[in-house]
């Protein structure tokens, strides 16, 4: 088990390196450090000296990937790529192009993201599973047919409309909760109710349908027939036996996305002006702040790889037949 | 005649698709699932809706230089047909079927005095003398005339169809699916005809900030949605099929390299990858203005780039599925037999593996379509989608969102984008379900 985890962690290194090279190349293939300096300093009236100063200050005055002027190992180490990447691997994100400490920003903005993402995930999961189980319970009736149609309809509506509609209806017409914004401490709850509610409703269509197929597969199995033969009532069979056994695919599906909850939701956060990591990323994209975008890409990939590892481990925990080797 | 990149690719795609359907129709083992789709009511009805959208999208994809207009710019066949609607542009917002502008301004009266009020629209309801009293009656009348004309056209067409086919395919006429398809066709054509007829006199879905007809915008957006939904899959399919089958069949280091590539791509949050790439394209376009001399060309290239980027971020899922399926297939007896008989590897891949994974490809293509159309709107909202000058539902939503704070609310742009997008995505979802039911062997067993 320990060996397996260590091996997987080592396997993550080339992956992260690949991610890093890719983002680096994507950005610098068209963009030179000079362009970046002009972008940050403003387009007009920039002297050559100012550009050089900015590049020196932010460490962009080296060659990109290969330094011919130096000898030995320094040919690789004295480059922008090396200097900017080593910090990432130690999770030291450095200073953004506009001069703020990225690590501190992330530490601070992580919490609103989590405060939004965790309740959305939990409530959504509970609602989806309940709806799906009810659909299976009433299978081959008009009720099921109706709810499947409803699911397809809900699926076909863009998430943007859920957000706009929810904000308009609950925030503006009924004035139940503030439309957008955020506050610290317990005050935050009133700002979070609406986004959580909307993300749950927006997810019901596809979520309930997905869990329904999971449960339907499970319902056909032999142990269910045995349970029915024993004389257990249908709700009891479903909510106890089927649910317990379907938990394995459900849990492992959830574990993958657990680490990514840190990254927050881009759309929800920017719509509801919640100062989380999602809106941080969007702001960085709009300001073309490469340092932040690269850090977030790196963080996201690292968390995704962590999610894959956690999935494999959780398989062994919930299903004793699976062994890691 | 001017051919944009996306035009050419879209037509190429339609040709390939019709070729594929014709080919599949001749193969007996493929005819069964096709028949199953043809017998599914929801599948056929949604197919009719999709084809209608496709027709509009294709009309909008034939571009030519407009000699007649003073601007001498490039327009499409759809623009040409819809010119009366397009040219009826007002000064600013106006509600659907309104004869008055949305906001007040100073109006010059006939006697030279000024008056602060809602001015009449230049085109919307301009034929009425006293809009307050006449408006409702006139709309009802015009709607009725439009509807009857559309219905008459449709009935004539149906009669023609019936007289041609009544003897040869008698069983088709009593079939429920045929009735449903014809009913859908009737509803679509008449309602569309009514809307088009009405929009000669009114702005049926209002006008936007610069006074452009929203109905026109929504129709123009169809092409963008279709291009994103289809071209993206066209770009991702070769990657996914080639790499997926190779990884599964050759295993060893080929498998390792391909797995490394797709895990790397997959581990980058897709929105960030798209954002970074679009950022790159934007910078490139800003630095090389000489290559993109017209606005249309620029917007078109950006649309194509967006499709490519979406394709690059989306192929990994299908690739993984194909790899798993190929791993299973290569151990099958018939593949082993082919190997033993000395069939070359390329032949095995083409003759034995590829046809047997095609159902997965087909299902994933139709499933992806709707999510791509939805993704376009979201991406446009965070400014990493299509060019701001391109007509798209995402841009319409983005533009209208800021007006929600106004009082009275400017809701019509949102409604139009919602209606069109919802219809397209719903039809795509229903069709995808029908295709999955027909082609997925696991589902086919259940009947």
């Amino acid at each position: 088990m320990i060996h397996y985890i260590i091996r997987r962690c080592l396997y993550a290194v080339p992956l992260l390196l690949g991610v890093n090279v890719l983002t680096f190349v994507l950005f610098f293939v068209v963009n030179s450090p000079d362009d970046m300096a002009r972008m940050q300093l403003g387009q007009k009236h920039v002297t050559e000296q100012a550009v050089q100063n900015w590049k020196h200050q932010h460490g962009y005055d080296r060659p990109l990937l290969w330094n011919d002027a130096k000898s030995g190992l320094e040919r690789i180490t004295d480059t922008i790529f090396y200097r900017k990447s080593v910090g990432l691997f130690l999770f030291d994100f450095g200073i953004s192009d506009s001069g703020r400490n990225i690590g501190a920003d992330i530490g601070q903005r992580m919490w609103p993201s989590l405060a939004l993402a965790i309740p959305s995930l939990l409530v959504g999961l509970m609602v989806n599973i309940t709806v799906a189980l009810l659909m299976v319970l009433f299978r081959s009736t008009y009720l099921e047919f109706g709810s499947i149609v409803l699911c397809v309809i809900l699926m076909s509506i863009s998430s943007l409309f859920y957000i706009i509609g929810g904000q308009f209806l609950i925030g503006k017409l009924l004035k139940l909760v503030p439309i957008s914004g955020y506050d610290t401490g317990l005050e935050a709850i009133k700002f979070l109710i609406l986004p959580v509610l909307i993300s749950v409703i927006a997810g019901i269509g596809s979520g309930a349908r997905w869990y329904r197929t999971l449960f339907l597969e499970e319902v056909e199995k032999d142990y269910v027939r045995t349970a029915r033969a024993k004389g257990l009532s249908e709700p009891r069979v479903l909510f106890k036996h089927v649910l317990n056994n379907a938990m394995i695919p459900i849990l492992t599906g959830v574990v993958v996305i657990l680490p990514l909850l840190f990254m927050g939701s881009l759309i929800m956060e920017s719509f509801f002006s919640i100062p989380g990591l999602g809106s941080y990323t969007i702001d960085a994209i709009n300001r073309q702040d490469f340092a932040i975008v690269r850090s977030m890409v790196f963080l996201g990939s690292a968390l995704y790889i962590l999610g894959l590892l956690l999935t494999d481990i959780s398989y062994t925990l919930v299903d004793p037949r699976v062994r890691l080797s | 005649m001017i051919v944009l990149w996306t035009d050419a690719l879209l037509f190429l795609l339609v040709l390939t698709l019709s070729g594929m359907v014709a080919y599949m129709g001749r193969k007996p083992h493929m005819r069964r699932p096709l028949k199953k789709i043809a017998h599914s009511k929801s599948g056929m009805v949604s197919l009719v809706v999709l084809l209608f959208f496709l027709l509009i999208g294709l009309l909008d994809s034939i571009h030519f230089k407009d000699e007649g207009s003073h601007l001498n710019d490039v327009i499409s066949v759809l623009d040409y047909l819809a010119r009366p609607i397009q040219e009826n542009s007002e000064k600013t917002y106006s509600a659907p079927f309104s004869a008055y502008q949305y906001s007040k301004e100073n109006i010059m009266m006939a006697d030279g005095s000024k008056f602060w009020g809602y001015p009449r629209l230049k085109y919307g309801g301009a034929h009425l003398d006293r809009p307050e009293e006449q408006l409702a009656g006139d709309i009802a009348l015009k709607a009725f005339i439009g509807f009857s004309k559309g219905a008459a056209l449709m009935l004539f067409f149906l009669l023609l169809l019936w007289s041609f086919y009544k003897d040869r395919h008698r069983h088709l006429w009593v079939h429920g699916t045929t009735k449903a398809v014809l009913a859908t066709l009737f509803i679509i054509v008449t309602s569309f005809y009514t809307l088009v007829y009405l929009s000669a006199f009114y702005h049926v879905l209002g006008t936007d900030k610069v006074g452009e007809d929203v109905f026109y915008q929504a129709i123009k957006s169809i092409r963008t949605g279709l291009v994103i939904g289809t071209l993206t899959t066209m770009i991702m399919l070769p990657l996914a099929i080639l790499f997926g089958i190779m990884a599964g069949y050759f295993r060893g280091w080929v498998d390792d390299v391909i797995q490394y590539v797709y895990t790397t791509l997959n581990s980058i949050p897709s929105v960030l990858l798209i954002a970074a790439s679009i950022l790159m394209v934007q910078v490139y376009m800003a630095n090389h203005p000489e290559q993109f001399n017209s606005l249309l060309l620029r917007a078109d290239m950006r649309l194509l780039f967006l499709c490519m980027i979406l394709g690059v971020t989306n192929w990994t899922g299908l690739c993984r599925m194909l790899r798993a399926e190929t791993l299973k297939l290569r151990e099958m007896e018939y593949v082993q037999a082919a190997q033993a008989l000395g069939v070359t590897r390329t032949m095995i891949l083409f003759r034995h593996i590829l046809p047997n994974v095609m159902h997965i490809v087909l299902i994933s293509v139709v499933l992806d379509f709707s999510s791509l159309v939805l993704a376009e709107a979201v991406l446009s909202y965070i400014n990493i989608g299509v060019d701001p000058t391109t007509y798209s539902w995402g841009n319409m939503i983005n533009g209208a969102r800021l007006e929600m704070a106004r009082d009275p609310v400017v809701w019509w742009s949102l409604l139009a984008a919602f209606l069109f997008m919802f219809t397209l995505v719903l039809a795509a979802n229903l069709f995808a379900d029908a295709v999955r039911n027909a082609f997925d062997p696991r589902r086919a067993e259940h009947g």
Side-chain angles (χ1 to χ4, degrees):
Chain A
M1 184 78 172
I2 304 279
H3 279 281
Y4 177 78
I5 294 177
I6 292 175
R7 210 152 44 98
R8 283 293 293 263
C9 289
L10 286 179
Y11 183 60
V13 173
L15 277 179
L16 288 174
L17 201 66
V19 168
N20 229 339
V21 172
L22 193 68
T23 33
F24 193 82
V25 169
L26 261 185
F27 196 82
F28 281 107
V29 78
V30 290
N31 219 357
S32 69
D34 285 22
D35 294 333
M36 281 172 68
R38 291 211 179 81
M39 174 73 80
Q40 291 298 328
L41 293 170
Q43 296 286 343
K44 287 177 194 161
H45 310 302
V46 182
T47 58
E48 193 53 34
Q49 190 55 41
V51 169
Q52 292 303 330
N53 280 346
W54 187 90
K55 275 164 66 181
H56 185 71
Q57 212 177 350
H58 290 85
Y60 287 111
D61 52 352
R62 298 181 180 83
L64 289 176
L65 283 165
W66 186 258
N67 195 344
D68 259 342
K70 302 281 166 117
S71 59
L73 253 184
E74 281 207 339
R75 284 187 176 192
I76 296 176
T77 55
D78 200 36
T79 56
I80 297 178
F81 176 70
Y82 185 82
R83 290 289 164 105
K84 296 276 168 190
S85 305
V86 166
L88 288 181
F89 278 93
L90 304 170
F91 288 94
D92 169 24
F93 297 113
I95 309 291
S96 78
D97 291 345
S98 52
R100 286 175 64 89
N101 187 336
I102 300 177
D105 272 353
I106 290 177
Q108 195 187 0
R109 281 169 166 260
M110 195 173 87
W111 302 110
S113 281
L114 282 178
L116 173 61
I118 290 177
S120 307
L121 179 74
L122 290 181
V123 177
L125 209 59
M126 275 186 323
V127 170
N128 288 345
I129 290 177
T130 320
V131 172
L133 272 179
L134 286 175
M135 270 158 76
V136 174
L137 181 63
F138 291 104
R139 62 182 175 280
S140 46
T141 62
Y142 281 111
L143 203 63
E144 193 214 14
F145 180 73
S147 41
I148 293 175
V149 171
L150 195 67
C151 274
V152 178
I153 289 177
L154 286 177
M155 259 171 73
S156 309
I157 299 174
S158 167
S159 56
L160 292 176
F161 289 112
Y162 284 111
I163 300 173
I164 295 173
Q167 274 185 333
F168 185 72
L169 190 73
I170 296 178
K172 199 173 170 207
L173 283 186
L174 302 174
K175 295 198 170 56
L176 292 178
V177 287
I179 290 182
S180 67
Y182 197 71
D183 208 343
T184 50
L186 281 179
E187 286 291 295
I189 291 176
K190 71 172 185 231
F191 290 101
L192 287 175
I193 291 174
L194 187 58
V196 170
L197 186 74
I198 288 175
S199 63
V200 168
I201 293 176
I204 284 184
S206 51
R209 245 168 75 107
W210 163 244
Y211 289 126
R212 177 178 159 266
T213 48
L214 270 185
F215 291 137
L216 276 183
E217 239 165 63
E218 206 69 22
V219 160
E220 313 237 310
K221 288 191 178 157
D222 287 341
Y223 72 89
V224 179
R225 205 183 322 141
T226 315
R228 280 199 204 112
K230 270 191 339 190
L232 292 184
S233 66
E234 188 69 19
R236 202 175 151 75
V237 171
L238 277 183
F239 283 84
K240 197 136 185 275
H241 296 252
V242 171
L243 183 59
N244 267 343
N245 284 288
M247 264 312 177
I248 296 174
I250 294 177
L251 268 185
T252 46
V254 169
V255 167
V256 180
I257 54 168
L258 273 185
L260 286 174
L261 291 183
F262 281 99
M263 300 290 289
S265 152
L266 294 175
I267 313 299
M268 290 307 250
E269 283 177 16
S270 68
F271 253 105
F272 290 95
S273 11
I274 290 168
L277 286 180
S279 50
Y280 186 57
T281 317
I282 290 213
D283 290 348
I285 293 170
N286 286 337
R287 272 189 285 123
Q288 310 212 345
D289 193 325
F290 178 55
I292 296 178
V293 172
R294 203 192 42 210
S295 307
M296 294 307 290
V297 168
F298 183 83
L299 191 64
S301 333
L303 290 173
Y304 174 79
I305 293 166
L306 180 69
L308 289 184
L309 179 62
L310 286 180
T311 314
D312 283 350
I313 295 174
S314 69
Y315 265 122
T316 58
L317 294 183
V318 293
D319 191 346
R321 286 170 302 181
V322 179
R323 296 222 185 287
L324 300 177
S325 56
Chain B
M1 182 93 175
I2 287 165
V3 181
L4 296 175
W5 272 101
T6 49
D7 293 349
L9 288 172
L10 200 62
F11 276 104
L12 185 70
L13 191 78
V14 170
L15 278 181
T16 331
L17 219 67
S18 15
M20 227 171 92
V21 172
Y23 172 78
M24 273 162 53
R26 281 194 286 126
K27 297 273 166 182
H29 65 283
M30 280 294 183
R31 224 181 274 159
R32 192 195 57 84
L34 283 184
K35 250 190 191 148
K36 200 166 172 186
I37 297 178
H39 282 279
S40 128
K41 243 184 226 175
S42 65
M44 286 314 279
V45 167
S46 49
L47 183 64
V48 170
V49 177
L50 285 179
L51 286 179
F52 180 72
F53 273 96
L54 185 67
L55 178 73
I56 294 183
L58 288 182
L59 279 182
D60 202 8
S61 299
I62 306 170
H63 288 91
F64 58 91
K65 212 164 198 138
D66 186 20
E67 305 292 347
S69 89
H70 48 283
L71 286 167
N72 205 16
D73 46 2
V74 178
I75 62 167
S76 70
V77 174
L78 185 77
D79 289 328
Y80 183 74
L81 294 175
R83 184 170 280 160
I85 310 180
Q86 186 202 4
E87 281 179 349
N88 290 357
S89 72
E90 310 288 346
K91 211 187 263 173
T92 180
Y93 292 112
S94 69
F97 289 114
S98 174
Y100 293 97
Q101 200 167 295
Y102 166 81
S103 50
K104 286 185 178 180
E105 61 179 52
N106 266 323
I107 309 166
M108 281 286 233
M109 298 302 277
D111 53 358
S113 65
K114 275 186 182 164
F115 165 69
W116 181 249
Y118 298 106
R120 284 288 297 270
L121 293 179
K122 247 193 300 180
Y123 299 97
H127 57 293
L128 302 175
D129 299 327
R130 300 181 308 281
E132 293 84 7
E133 303 150 26
Q134 300 170 328
L135 194 66
D138 190 64
I139 291 171
L141 182 71
K142 291 262 158 47
F144 180 72
I145 295 175
F147 178 80
S148 339
K149 278 189 177 172
L153 194 78
M154 228 12 240
L155 283 176
F156 176 67
F157 168 73
L158 284 181
L159 270 176
L160 263 183
L161 209 67
W162 181 70
S163 61
F164 273 128
Y165 286 106
K166 65 177 170 183
D167 299 324
R168 264 185 284 169
H169 301 282
R170 184 170 291 276
H171 63 284
L172 268 181
W173 286 96
V174 289
H175 203 277
T177 312
T178 319
K179 284 180 192 159
V181 165
L182 291 180
T184 323
L185 210 59
F186 184 81
I187 293 173
I188 293 179
V189 171
T190 45
S191 55
F192 194 73
Y193 190 87
T194 314
L195 281 178
V196 169
Y197 182 77
L198 274 171
S199 52
F201 304 97
Y202 297 97
H203 298 289
V204 280
L205 287 169
T207 54
D208 76 339
K209 191 171 188 172
V210 291
E212 201 170 27
D213 195 281
V214 173
F215 182 52
Y216 173 74
Q217 287 182 340
I219 288 181
K220 286 286 284 180
S221 304
I222 290 173
R223 176 175 183 267
T224 313
L226 285 178
V227 165
I228 297 251
T230 53
L231 285 196
T232 304
T233 41
M234 190 166 136
I235 286 158
M236 103 190 184
L237 276 189
L239 286 174
I241 294 178
L242 187 71
F243 287 146
I245 290 182
M246 269 171 55
Y249 188 74
F250 292 119
R251 298 200 288 198
W253 66 271
V254 182
D255 191 17
D256 287 340
V257 170
I258 292 171
Q259 275 202 62
Y260 170 74
V261 170
Y262 77 60
T263 319
T264 308
L265 273 177
N266 226 5
S267 65
I268 301 177
S270 60
V271 177
L272 289 180
L273 188 62
I274 296 166
S277 318
I278 282 287
L279 211 73
M280 184 185 99
V281 173
Q282 259 175 334
V283 171
Y284 181 79
M285 283 182 171
N287 290 345
H288 302 83
E290 70 283 353
Q291 291 178 22
F292 307 97
N293 38 22
S294 87
L295 220 60
L296 190 70
L297 195 66
R298 232 182 129 97
D300 186 63
M301 280 322 267
R302 182 155 166 181
L303 185 62
L304 189 62
F305 272 123
L306 186 67
C307 289
M308 281 183 189
I309 295 158
L310 281 171
V312 169
T313 55
N314 270 352
W315 65 277
T316 51
L318 179 61
C319 181
R320 189 184 310 196
M321 270 193 282
L322 289 179
R323 174 179 168 270
E325 187 68 18
T326 314
L327 277 177
K328 234 187 319 175
L329 284 179
R330 79 188 294 274
E331 303 300 330
M332 291 273 186
E333 282 88 355
Y334 62 88
V335 178
Q336 304 272 329
Q339 255 161 0
L341 288 170
V343 182
T344 57
R345 284 172 163 187
T346 1
M347 269 324 255
I348 292 181
L349 282 184
F350 273 102
R351 295 292 302 258
H352 299 289
I353 307 272
L354 189 62
N356 284 303
V357 296
M358 263 339 231
H359 67 280
I360 300 183
V361 175
L362 203 73
I363 292 171
S364 99
V365 166
V366 283
L367 274 183
D368 277 353
F369 177 81
S370 56
S371 59
L372 285 169
V373 175
L374 291 177
E376 183 274 323
V378 172
L379 292 178
S380 296
Y381 164 72
I382 31 181
N383 286 330
I384 54 173
V386 294
D387 195 78
T389 58
T390 310
Y391 291 101
S392 89
W393 293 312
N395 281 340
M396 280 171 72
I397 298 169
N398 200 8
R401 194 177 50 89
L402 300 170
E403 309 299 335
M404 292 299 279
R406 285 207 187 194
D407 200 49
V409 181
V410 179
W411 45 269
W412 41 90
S413 280
L414 284 175
L415 179 81
F418 172 79
L419 281 182
F420 277 78
M421 223 163 121
F422 177 68
T423 319
L424 179 62
V425 174
L426 184 64
N429 275 335
L430 288 175
F431 187 65
D433 270 1
V435 169
R436 194 162 47 168
N437 278 334
F439 280 94
D440 195 339
R442 273 195 309 172
R443 291 180 179 226
E445 284 161 20
H446 298 298

